[in-house]
Coordinates of all heavy atoms in Angstrom, one line a residue:
M1 N 15.0 44.6 -16.2 CA 15.7 44.8 -14.9 C 16.1 43.5 -14.3 O 15.3 42.7 -14.0 CB 14.8 45.6 -14.0 CG 15.4 45.7 -12.6 SD 14.5 46.9 -11.6 CE 13.2 46.0 -10.9
P2 N 17.4 43.2 -14.3 CA 17.9 41.9 -13.7 C 17.6 41.8 -12.2 O 17.5 42.8 -11.5 CB 19.4 41.9 -13.9 CG 19.6 43.0 -14.9 CD 18.5 43.9 -14.8
L3 N 17.4 40.6 -11.7 CA 17.0 40.4 -10.3 C 18.2 40.7 -9.4 O 18.0 41.0 -8.2 CB 16.6 38.9 -10.1 CG 15.2 38.6 -10.7 CD1 14.9 37.1 -10.5 CD2 14.1 39.4 -10.1
G4 N 19.4 40.7 -9.9 CA 20.6 41.0 -9.1 C 20.7 42.4 -8.6 O 21.4 42.7 -7.7
N5 N 20.0 43.3 -9.3 CA 20.0 44.7 -8.9 C 18.9 45.1 -7.9 O 18.8 46.3 -7.6 CB 19.9 45.6 -10.2 CG 21.1 45.4 -11.1 OD1 22.2 45.0 -10.6 ND2 20.9 45.7 -12.3
L6 N 18.1 44.2 -7.4 CA 17.1 44.5 -6.5 C 17.6 44.7 -5.1 O 18.5 44.0 -4.6 CB 16.0 43.4 -6.4 CG 15.2 43.2 -7.7 CD1 14.2 42.1 -7.5 CD2 14.4 44.5 -8.0
K7 N 17.1 45.8 -4.4 CA 17.6 46.1 -3.1 C 16.7 45.3 -2.1 O 15.6 44.8 -2.5 CB 17.4 47.6 -2.8 CG 18.4 48.4 -3.7 CD 18.1 49.8 -3.5 CE 19.0 50.6 -4.5 NZ 18.6 51.9 -4.7
P8 N 17.1 45.0 -0.9 CA 16.3 44.2 0.1 C 14.9 44.8 0.3 O 13.9 44.0 0.4 CB 17.1 44.3 1.4 CG 18.5 44.5 0.9 CD 18.4 45.4 -0.3
L9 N 14.8 46.1 0.3 CA 13.4 46.7 0.5 C 12.5 46.4 -0.7 O 11.3 46.1 -0.5 CB 13.6 48.2 0.7 CG 12.3 49.0 1.0 CD1 11.6 48.5 2.3 CD2 12.5 50.5 1.1
E10 N 13.1 46.4 -1.9 CA 12.3 46.1 -3.1 C 11.8 44.6 -3.1 O 10.7 44.3 -3.4 CB 13.1 46.4 -4.3 CG 13.3 47.9 -4.5 CD 14.3 48.2 -5.7 OE1 15.0 47.3 -6.0 OE2 14.3 49.3 -6.1
I11 N 12.7 43.7 -2.6 CA 12.3 42.3 -2.5 C 11.2 42.1 -1.5 O 10.3 41.4 -1.8 CB 13.6 41.5 -2.2 CG1 14.6 41.5 -3.3 CG2 13.2 40.0 -1.9 CD1 15.9 40.9 -3.0
I12 N 11.3 42.8 -0.4 CA 10.3 42.7 0.6 C 8.9 43.2 0.1 O 7.9 42.6 0.3 CB 10.7 43.4 1.9 CG1 11.9 42.6 2.6 CG2 9.5 43.5 2.9 CD1 12.5 43.3 3.7
L13 N 9.0 44.3 -0.6 CA 7.8 44.9 -1.2 C 7.2 43.9 -2.2 O 5.9 43.8 -2.2 CB 8.1 46.2 -1.9 CG 6.9 47.0 -2.5 CD1 5.9 47.4 -1.4 CD2 7.4 48.2 -3.2
I14 N 8.0 43.3 -3.0 CA 7.4 42.3 -4.0 C 6.8 41.1 -3.3 O 5.7 40.7 -3.7 CB 8.6 41.9 -5.0 CG1 9.0 43.0 -5.9 CG2 8.1 40.7 -5.8 CD1 10.2 42.8 -6.7
I15 N 7.4 40.6 -2.3 CA 6.9 39.5 -1.5 C 5.6 39.9 -0.9 O 4.6 39.1 -0.9 CB 7.9 39.0 -0.5 CG1 9.1 38.3 -1.2 CG2 7.3 38.0 0.5 CD1 10.2 38.0 -0.3
A16 N 5.5 41.1 -0.3 CA 4.2 41.6 0.3 C 3.1 41.7 -0.7 O 2.0 41.3 -0.5 CB 4.5 43.0 1.0
V17 N 3.4 42.2 -1.9 CA 2.4 42.3 -3.0 C 1.9 40.9 -3.4 O 0.7 40.6 -3.6 CB 2.9 43.1 -4.2 CG1 2.0 43.0 -5.4 CG2 3.1 44.5 -3.8
I18 N 2.8 39.9 -3.5 CA 2.5 38.6 -3.9 C 1.6 38.0 -2.8 O 0.6 37.3 -3.1 CB 3.7 37.7 -4.1 CG1 4.4 38.2 -5.4 CG2 3.4 36.2 -4.2 CD1 5.8 37.5 -5.6
L19 N 1.9 38.2 -1.5 CA 1.1 37.7 -0.4 C -0.3 38.3 -0.4 O -1.3 37.6 -0.2 CB 1.7 38.0 0.9 CG 2.8 37.0 1.4 CD1 3.5 37.5 2.6 CD2 2.2 35.6 1.6
L20 N -0.4 39.6 -0.8 CA -1.7 40.3 -0.8 C -2.5 39.7 -2.0 O -3.8 39.6 -1.9 CB -1.6 41.8 -0.9 CG -1.1 42.5 0.4 CD1 -0.8 43.9 0.1 CD2 -2.1 42.3 1.4
L21 N -1.9 39.5 -3.1 CA -2.6 39.0 -4.3 C -3.1 37.6 -4.2 O -4.3 37.3 -4.5 CB -1.7 39.1 -5.6 CG -1.5 40.5 -6.1 CD1 -0.5 40.5 -7.3 CD2 -2.8 41.2 -6.5
F22 N -2.3 36.7 -3.7 CA -2.6 35.3 -3.7 C -3.0 34.8 -2.3 O -3.7 33.7 -2.2 CB -1.4 34.4 -4.2 CG -1.1 34.7 -5.6 CD1 0.0 35.4 -5.9 CD2 -1.9 34.3 -6.6 CE1 0.4 35.7 -7.3 CE2 -1.6 34.6 -8.0 CZ -0.5 35.3 -8.3
G23 N -2.7 35.4 -1.3 CA -3.0 34.9 0.1 C -2.0 33.9 0.6 O -1.4 33.2 -0.2
A24 N -1.8 33.8 1.9 CA -0.8 33.0 2.5 C -1.2 31.5 2.4 O -0.4 30.6 2.4 CB -0.7 33.3 3.9
K25 N -2.5 31.2 2.2 CA -3.0 29.8 2.2 C -2.7 29.2 0.8 O -2.4 28.0 0.7 CB -4.5 29.7 2.5 CG -4.8 30.0 3.9 CD -6.3 29.8 4.2 CE -6.6 30.1 5.6 NZ -8.0 29.9 5.9
K26 N -2.7 29.9 -0.2 CA -2.5 29.4 -1.6 C -1.0 29.3 -2.0 O -0.7 28.5 -2.9 CB -3.2 30.2 -2.6 CG -4.7 30.1 -2.6 CD -5.4 30.9 -3.7 CE -6.9 30.8 -3.6 NZ -7.5 31.5 -4.7
L27 N -0.2 30.0 -1.3 CA 1.2 30.0 -1.8 C 1.9 28.7 -1.6 O 2.6 28.3 -2.5 CB 2.0 31.1 -1.0 CG 1.8 32.5 -1.5 CD1 2.6 33.5 -0.6 CD2 2.1 32.7 -2.9
P28 N 1.7 27.9 -0.5 CA 2.4 26.6 -0.5 C 1.9 25.6 -1.6 O 2.7 24.9 -2.1 CB 2.0 26.1 0.9 CG 1.7 27.3 1.7 CD 1.1 28.3 0.8
D29 N 0.6 25.7 -1.9 CA 0.0 24.9 -2.9 C 0.6 25.3 -4.3 O 0.9 24.4 -5.1 CB -1.5 25.0 -3.0 CG -2.1 24.3 -1.8 OD1 -1.5 23.4 -1.2 OD2 -3.3 24.7 -1.4
M30 N 0.8 26.6 -4.5 CA 1.3 27.0 -5.8 C 2.8 26.6 -5.9 O 3.2 26.2 -7.0 CB 1.2 28.5 -5.9 CG -0.2 29.0 -6.0 SD -0.4 30.8 -5.9 CE 0.7 31.4 -7.2
A31 N 3.5 26.7 -4.8 CA 4.9 26.3 -4.8 C 5.1 24.8 -5.1 O 5.9 24.3 -5.8 CB 5.6 26.7 -3.5
R32 N 4.2 24.0 -4.4 CA 4.2 22.6 -4.6 C 3.9 22.2 -6.1 O 4.5 21.3 -6.6 CB 3.2 21.9 -3.6 CG 3.4 20.5 -3.4 CD 2.4 20.0 -2.3 NE 2.7 20.7 -1.0 CZ 1.8 21.4 -0.3 NH1 0.6 21.5 -0.8 NH2 2.1 22.0 0.8
S33 N 2.9 22.8 -6.6 CA 2.5 22.5 -8.0 C 3.6 23.0 -9.0 O 3.9 22.3 -10.0 CB 1.2 23.1 -8.4 OG 1.3 24.5 -8.4
L34 N 4.3 24.1 -8.7 CA 5.4 24.5 -9.5 C 6.5 23.5 -9.4 O 7.2 23.2 -10.4 CB 5.8 25.9 -9.0 CG 7.0 26.5 -9.8 CD1 6.5 26.8 -11.3 CD2 7.4 27.8 -9.2
G35 N 6.8 23.0 -8.2 CA 7.9 22.0 -8.1 C 7.5 20.7 -8.9 O 8.4 20.1 -9.5
K36 N 6.3 20.3 -8.8 CA 5.8 19.1 -9.5 C 6.0 19.3 -11.0 O 6.5 18.4 -11.8 CB 4.4 18.7 -9.2 CG 4.2 18.0 -7.9 CD 2.7 17.7 -7.8 CE 2.4 17.0 -6.5 NZ 1.0 16.7 -6.3
S37 N 5.6 20.4 -11.5 CA 5.7 20.8 -12.9 C 7.2 20.8 -13.4 O 7.5 20.2 -14.4 CB 5.1 22.1 -13.2 OG 3.7 22.1 -12.9
A38 N 8.1 21.3 -12.5 CA 9.5 21.3 -12.9 C 10.0 19.9 -12.9 O 10.8 19.6 -13.8 CB 10.3 22.1 -11.9
R39 N 9.6 19.0 -12.0 CA 10.1 17.6 -12.0 C 9.6 16.9 -13.2 O 10.3 16.1 -13.9 CB 9.6 16.9 -10.7 CG 10.5 17.2 -9.5 CD 10.2 16.3 -8.4 NE 8.8 16.3 -7.9 CZ 8.4 17.1 -7.0 NH1 9.2 18.0 -6.4 NH2 7.1 17.1 -6.7
I40 N 8.3 17.1 -13.6 CA 7.7 16.5 -14.8 C 8.5 16.9 -16.0 O 8.8 16.1 -16.9 CB 6.2 16.7 -14.8 CG1 5.5 16.0 -13.7 CG2 5.7 16.3 -16.2 CD1 4.0 16.4 -13.6
L41 N 8.7 18.2 -16.1 CA 9.4 18.8 -17.3 C 10.8 18.2 -17.4 O 11.2 17.8 -18.5 CB 9.5 20.3 -17.2 CG 10.1 21.0 -18.3 CD1 9.4 20.8 -19.6 CD2 10.3 22.5 -18.0
K42 N 11.5 18.1 -16.2 CA 12.8 17.5 -16.2 C 12.8 16.1 -16.7 O 13.7 15.6 -17.5 CB 13.4 17.7 -14.8 CG 14.9 17.3 -14.7 CD 15.4 17.5 -13.3 CE 16.8 17.1 -13.2 NZ 17.3 17.4 -11.8
S43 N 11.9 15.3 -16.2 CA 11.9 13.9 -16.5 C 11.5 13.7 -18.0 O 12.0 12.8 -18.7 CB 10.9 13.1 -15.6 OG 9.6 13.5 -15.8
E44 N 10.6 14.5 -18.5 CA 10.2 14.4 -19.9 C 11.4 14.8 -20.8 O 11.6 14.2 -21.8 CB 9.0 15.3 -20.2 CG 7.7 14.8 -19.6 CD 7.2 13.5 -20.1 OE1 7.4 13.2 -21.4 OE2 6.7 12.7 -19.4
A45 N 12.1 15.8 -20.4 CA 13.3 16.2 -21.2 C 14.3 15.0 -21.2 O 14.9 14.7 -22.3 CB 13.9 17.4 -20.6
K46 N 14.5 14.4 -20.1 CA 15.5 13.2 -20.1 C 14.9 12.1 -20.9 O 15.7 11.5 -21.6 CB 15.6 12.7 -18.6 CG 16.5 13.6 -17.8 CD 16.7 12.9 -16.4 CE 17.6 13.8 -15.5 NZ 17.8 13.2 -14.2
A47 N 13.6 11.8 -20.9 CA 13.1 10.8 -21.7 C 13.2 11.1 -23.2 O 13.5 10.2 -24.0 CB 11.6 10.6 -21.3
M48 N 13.0 12.3 -23.6 CA 13.2 12.7 -25.0 C 14.6 12.6 -25.4 O 14.9 12.1 -26.5 CB 12.7 14.2 -25.2 CG 11.2 14.3 -25.1 SD 10.7 16.0 -25.2 CE 11.3 16.5 -26.8
K49 N 15.6 12.9 -24.6 CA 17.0 12.7 -24.9 C 17.3 11.3 -25.1 O 18.0 10.9 -26.0 CB 17.9 13.4 -23.9 CG 17.9 14.9 -23.9 CD 18.9 15.4 -22.9 CE 18.9 17.0 -22.9 NZ 19.7 17.5 -21.8
K50 N 16.8 10.4 -24.2 CA 17.0 9.0 -24.2 C 16.4 8.4 -25.5 O 17.0 7.6 -26.2 CB 16.4 8.3 -23.0 CG 16.7 6.8 -22.9 CD 16.1 6.2 -21.7 CE 16.3 4.8 -21.7 NZ 15.1 4.0 -21.6
D51 N 15.2 8.8 -25.8 CA 14.5 8.3 -27.1 C 15.3 8.7 -28.3 O 15.5 8.0 -29.2 CB 13.1 8.9 -27.2 CG 12.2 8.2 -26.2 OD1 12.5 7.2 -25.6 OD2 11.0 8.7 -26.0
D52 N 15.8 10.0 -28.3 CA 16.7 10.4 -29.4 C 17.9 9.6 -29.5 O 18.4 9.2 -30.6 CB 17.0 11.9 -29.3 CG 15.8 12.8 -29.6 OD1 14.8 12.3 -30.1 OD2 15.8 14.0 -29.2
A53 N 18.5 9.3 -28.4 CA 19.8 8.5 -28.4 C 19.5 7.1 -28.9 O 20.3 6.5 -29.6 CB 20.4 8.5 -27.0
D54 N 18.4 6.5 -28.5 CA 18.0 5.2 -28.9 C 17.7 5.1 -30.4 O 18.1 4.1 -31.0 CB 16.8 4.7 -28.1 CG 17.1 4.4 -26.6 OD1 18.3 4.3 -26.3 OD2 16.1 4.2 -25.8
T55 N 17.0 6.1 -30.9 CA 16.7 6.0 -32.4 C 17.9 6.3 -33.2 O 18.0 5.9 -34.3 CB 15.6 7.0 -32.7 OG1 15.9 8.3 -32.3 CG2 14.3 6.6 -32.0
A56 N 18.9 7.1 -32.7 CA 20.1 7.5 -33.5 C 21.1 6.3 -33.5 O 21.8 6.2 -34.5 CB 20.7 8.7 -32.9
A57 N 21.0 5.4 -32.5 CA 22.0 4.3 -32.5 C 21.6 3.3 -33.5 O 20.4 3.0 -33.7 CB 22.0 3.7 -31.1
P58 N 22.5 2.7 -34.3 CA 22.2 1.7 -35.2 C 21.8 0.4 -34.5 O 22.3 0.0 -33.5 CB 23.5 1.5 -36.0 CG 24.6 2.0 -35.1 CD 23.9 3.1 -34.3
T59 N 20.7 -0.2 -35.1 CA 20.2 -1.4 -34.5 C 20.7 -2.6 -35.3 O 20.7 -2.6 -36.5 CB 18.7 -1.4 -34.4 OG1 18.2 -1.2 -35.7 CG2 18.2 -0.3 -33.5
T60 N 20.9 -3.7 -34.6 CA 21.3 -5.0 -35.3 C 20.3 -6.1 -35.0 O 20.7 -7.2 -34.9 CB 22.7 -5.4 -34.8 OG1 22.7 -5.6 -33.4 CG2 23.8 -4.4 -35.2
E61 N 19.1 -5.7 -34.7 CA 18.1 -6.6 -34.3 C 17.6 -7.4 -35.6 O 17.6 -6.8 -36.7 CB 16.9 -6.0 -33.7 CG 17.2 -5.3 -32.4 CD 16.0 -4.6 -31.8 OE1 14.9 -4.7 -32.4 OE2 16.1 -3.8 -30.9
T62 N 17.2 -8.6 -35.4 CA 16.5 -9.3 -36.5 C 15.1 -9.1 -36.4 O 14.5 -8.6 -35.5 CB 16.8 -10.8 -36.3 OG1 16.3 -11.3 -35.1 CG2 18.3 -11.1 -36.4
V63 N 14.4 -9.5 -37.5 CA 12.9 -9.3 -37.5 C 12.3 -10.2 -36.5 O 12.5 -11.4 -36.4 CB 12.4 -9.7 -38.9 CG1 10.9 -9.6 -39.0 CG2 13.0 -8.8 -40.0
A64 N 11.5 -9.6 -35.6 CA 10.9 -10.3 -34.5 C 9.7 -11.1 -35.0 O 9.1 -10.8 -36.0 CB 10.5 -9.3 -33.4
D65 N 9.3 -12.1 -34.2 CA 8.1 -12.9 -34.5 C 6.9 -12.0 -34.3 O 6.7 -11.4 -33.3 CB 8.1 -14.1 -33.6 CG 7.0 -15.0 -33.9 OD1 6.5 -15.0 -35.1 OD2 6.6 -15.8 -33.1
T66 N 6.1 -11.9 -35.3 CA 4.9 -11.1 -35.3 C 3.6 -11.8 -34.9 O 2.5 -11.2 -35.0 CB 4.7 -10.4 -36.6 OG1 4.5 -11.4 -37.6 CG2 5.8 -9.5 -37.0
T67 N 3.7 -13.0 -34.4 CA 2.5 -13.7 -33.9 C 2.0 -13.0 -32.6 O 2.8 -12.7 -31.8 CB 2.8 -15.2 -33.6 OG1 3.8 -15.3 -32.7 CG2 3.2 -15.9 -34.9
P68 N 0.7 -12.8 -32.5 CA 0.2 -12.2 -31.3 C 0.3 -13.0 -30.1 O 0.2 -14.2 -30.1 CB -1.3 -11.9 -31.7 CG -1.6 -12.9 -32.7 CD -0.3 -13.2 -33.5
Q69 N 0.7 -12.4 -29.0 CA 0.9 -13.1 -27.8 C -0.4 -13.0 -27.0 O -1.1 -12.0 -27.0 CB 2.0 -12.3 -26.9 CG 3.4 -12.3 -27.6 CD 4.0 -13.7 -27.6 OE1 3.7 -14.5 -26.8 NE2 4.8 -14.0 -28.7
P70 N -0.7 -14.1 -26.3 CA -2.0 -14.1 -25.5 C -1.8 -13.2 -24.3 O -0.7 -13.0 -23.7 CB -2.1 -15.6 -25.0 CG -0.7 -16.1 -25.1 CD -0.1 -15.4 -26.2
A71 N -2.9 -12.5 -23.9 CA -2.9 -11.6 -22.8 C -2.7 -12.3 -21.5 O -3.3 -13.4 -21.4 CB -4.1 -10.7 -22.8
P72 N -2.0 -11.8 -20.6 CA -1.9 -12.4 -19.3 C -3.2 -12.5 -18.5 O -4.0 -11.6 -18.8 CB -0.8 -11.6 -18.5 CG -0.8 -10.3 -19.2 CD -1.2 -10.5 -20.6
A73 N -3.4 -13.5 -17.7 CA -4.6 -13.6 -17.0 C -4.8 -12.5 -16.0 O -3.8 -12.0 -15.3 CB -4.6 -14.9 -16.2
K74 N -6.0 -11.9 -15.9 CA -6.3 -10.9 -15.0 C -6.6 -11.5 -13.6 O -7.1 -12.6 -13.5 CB -7.5 -10.1 -15.4 CG -7.2 -9.3 -16.7 CD -8.5 -8.6 -17.2 CE -8.2 -7.9 -18.5 NZ -9.4 -7.2 -19.0
T75 N -6.2 -10.8 -12.6 CA -6.5 -11.2 -11.2 C -7.3 -10.2 -10.4 O -7.2 -9.0 -10.7 CB -5.2 -11.6 -10.5 OG1 -4.4 -10.4 -10.4 CG2 -4.5 -12.7 -11.1
I76 N -8.0 -10.7 -9.5 CA -8.8 -9.8 -8.6 C -8.1 -9.9 -7.2 O -7.8 -11.0 -6.7 CB -10.2 -10.2 -8.4 CG1 -11.0 -10.1 -9.7 CG2 -10.9 -9.4 -7.3 CD1 -12.4 -10.6 -9.7
Q77 N -7.7 -8.8 -6.7 CA -7.0 -8.8 -5.4 C -8.1 -8.9 -4.3 O -9.2 -8.4 -4.4 CB -6.2 -7.4 -5.2 CG -5.1 -7.2 -6.2 CD -4.0 -8.3 -6.0 OE1 -3.8 -8.8 -5.0 NE2 -3.4 -8.6 -7.1
A78 N -7.7 -9.7 -3.3 CA -8.7 -9.9 -2.2 C -8.8 -8.7 -1.4 O -7.9 -7.9 -1.2 CB -8.2 -11.1 -1.3
A79 N -10.0 -8.5 -0.8 CA -10.3 -7.4 0.1 C -9.5 -7.6 1.4 O -9.2 -8.7 1.7 CB -11.8 -7.2 0.3
P80 N -9.3 -6.5 2.2 CA -8.5 -6.7 3.4 C -9.1 -7.7 4.4 O -8.4 -8.5 5.0 CB -8.5 -5.3 4.0 CG -8.7 -4.4 2.9 CD -9.5 -5.1 1.9
G81 N -10.4 -7.8 4.4 CA -11.1 -8.8 5.4 C -11.4 -10.1 4.7 O -11.9 -11.0 5.4
D82 N -11.1 -10.3 3.5 CA -11.5 -11.5 2.7 C -10.5 -12.6 3.1 O -9.3 -12.4 3.2 CB -11.4 -11.2 1.2 CG -12.1 -12.3 0.4 OD1 -12.7 -13.2 1.0 OD2 -12.1 -12.2 -0.8
V83 N -11.0 -13.8 3.3 CA -10.2 -14.9 3.7 C -9.6 -15.7 2.5 O -8.6 -16.4 2.7 CB -11.0 -15.9 4.6 CG1 -11.3 -15.3 5.9 CG2 -12.2 -16.4 3.9
T84 N -10.2 -15.5 1.4 CA -9.6 -16.1 0.2 C -8.5 -15.3 -0.5 O -8.5 -14.1 -0.3 CB -10.7 -16.4 -0.9 OG1 -11.3 -15.1 -1.3 CG2 -11.8 -17.3 -0.3
S85 N -7.7 -15.9 -1.2 CA -6.6 -15.1 -1.8 C -7.1 -14.6 -3.2 O -8.2 -14.8 -3.6 CB -5.4 -16.0 -2.0 OG -5.7 -17.1 -2.9
S86 N -6.2 -13.9 -3.9 CA -6.6 -13.4 -5.2 C -6.8 -14.6 -6.2 O -6.2 -15.7 -6.0 CB -5.5 -12.5 -5.8 OG -4.3 -13.2 -5.9
R87 N -7.7 -14.5 -7.1 CA -8.0 -15.6 -8.0 C -8.1 -15.0 -9.4 O -8.4 -13.9 -9.6 CB -9.3 -16.2 -7.6 CG -10.5 -15.1 -7.4 CD -11.6 -15.7 -6.5 NE -12.5 -14.7 -6.2 CZ -12.5 -13.9 -5.2 NH1 -11.5 -13.9 -4.3 NH2 -13.4 -13.0 -5.0
P88 N -7.8 -15.9 -10.4 CA -7.8 -15.4 -11.8 C -9.3 -15.2 -12.2 O -10.2 -15.8 -11.8 CB -7.2 -16.6 -12.6 CG -7.2 -17.7 -11.7 CD -7.3 -17.2 -10.3
V89 N -9.4 -14.3 -13.2 CA -10.7 -13.9 -13.7 C -10.7 -14.4 -15.2 O -9.8 -14.0 -15.9 CB -10.9 -12.4 -13.6 CG1 -12.3 -12.0 -14.3 CG2 -10.9 -12.0 -12.2
S90 N -11.7 -15.1 -15.6 CA -11.8 -15.5 -17.0 C -12.6 -14.5 -17.7 O -13.6 -13.9 -17.2 CB -12.4 -16.9 -17.1 OG -13.7 -16.9 -16.5
E91 N -12.2 -14.2 -18.9 CA -12.9 -13.3 -19.7 C -14.3 -13.8 -20.1 O -14.4 -15.0 -20.5 CB -12.2 -13.0 -21.0 CG -10.9 -12.2 -20.8 CD -11.1 -10.8 -20.4 OE1 -12.1 -10.2 -20.8 OE2 -10.3 -10.3 -19.5
A92 N -15.3 -13.0 -19.9 CA -16.7 -13.5 -20.2 C -16.8 -13.4 -21.7 O -16.6 -12.4 -22.4 CB -17.7 -12.6 -19.6
K93 N -17.2 -14.6 -22.3 CA -17.5 -14.6 -23.8 C -19.0 -14.5 -24.0 O -19.8 -15.0 -23.3 CB -16.9 -16.0 -24.3 CG -15.5 -16.1 -24.1 CD -14.9 -17.3 -24.8 CE -13.4 -17.2 -24.5 NZ -12.7 -18.2 -25.2
P94 N -19.3 -13.7 -25.0 CA -20.7 -13.6 -25.3 C -21.4 -14.9 -25.7 O -20.8 -15.7 -26.5 CB -20.7 -12.5 -26.5 CG -19.4 -12.5 -27.0 CD -18.5 -13.0 -26.0
T95 N -22.5 -15.1 -25.2 CA -23.3 -16.3 -25.5 C -24.5 -15.9 -26.3 O -25.0 -14.8 -26.2 CB -23.7 -17.1 -24.2 OG1 -24.5 -16.2 -23.5 CG2 -22.5 -17.5 -23.4
T96 N -24.9 -16.8 -27.2 CA -26.0 -16.6 -28.0 C -27.2 -17.3 -27.4 O -27.1 -18.5 -27.0 CB -25.8 -17.1 -29.5 OG1 -25.5 -18.4 -29.4 CG2 -24.7 -16.3 -30.1
Q97 N -28.3 -16.6 -27.3 CA -29.5 -17.2 -26.7 C -30.5 -17.4 -27.9 O -30.6 -16.6 -28.7 CB -30.1 -16.4 -25.7 CG -29.2 -16.2 -24.4 CD -29.8 -15.3 -23.4 OE1 -30.9 -14.8 -23.6 NE2 -29.2 -15.2 -22.3
S98 N -31.2 -18.6 -27.9 CA -32.1 -18.8 -28.9 C -33.6 -18.6 -28.4 O -33.8 -18.5 -27.3 CB -32.0 -20.2 -29.5 OG -32.0 -21.2 -28.4

C-alpha cells in the first residue's frame, strides 16, 4: 500500500500508535539518531564514489621514497590554570638496570 493513498485519519491513527509504542520522550532521540545515520550513510557513499574515481583515474606518479619518516614530536597541552605553555614530550626509552 503506497503512502500516497493514506487518508488523514489513517495518518493520525498511525502517529498515535507510534506515540503509544515508543513514548513522546524517545521520539526526538530516535529522530535525531536517524538523521545522524542518514548523514553518515550519505558521507560514506560520497567517500566511496570519490575513492572509486581516484582509483579509476590513471596515475603518473613516480616511485616515492620509502625511507621511514620520523614521527612528529608529541606535545602536552597546558591545563586552563597552568602558567606554562605546552611542552614537547620525549619518548621514554627502556633502560636496563644491572
Side-chain angles (χ1 to χ4, degrees):
M1 172 166 90
L3 291 176
N5 294 338
L6 291 178
K7 297 176 184 159
L9 183 61
E10 293 171 340
I11 294 172
I12 292 172
L13 182 63
I14 290 171
I15 291 172
V17 169
I18 290 173
L19 279 172
L20 287 174
L21 286 176
F22 297 108
K25 291 183 180 181
K26 289 186 180 181
L27 285 180
D29 293 333
M30 291 172 58
R32 199 172 298 122
S33 65
L34 183 64
K36 281 183 182 179
S37 299
R39 281 192 300 273
I40 290 171
L41 181 65
K42 186 176 179 180
S43 67
E44 290 296 325
K46 283 184 181 179
M48 287 175 59
K49 285 181 183 178
K50 183 180 178 236
D51 287 345
D52 288 344
D54 288 346
T55 56
T59 58
T60 59
E61 297 177 9
T62 58
V63 177
D65 186 19
T66 59
T67 57
Q69 299 290 330
K74 296 180 182 176
T75 58
I76 296 176
Q77 298 296 331
D82 197 359
V83 293
T84 60
S85 62
S86 61
R87 52 200 173 270
V89 177
S90 61
E91 293 290 325
K93 297 189 180 183
T95 59
T96 57
Q97 295 179 356
S98 51

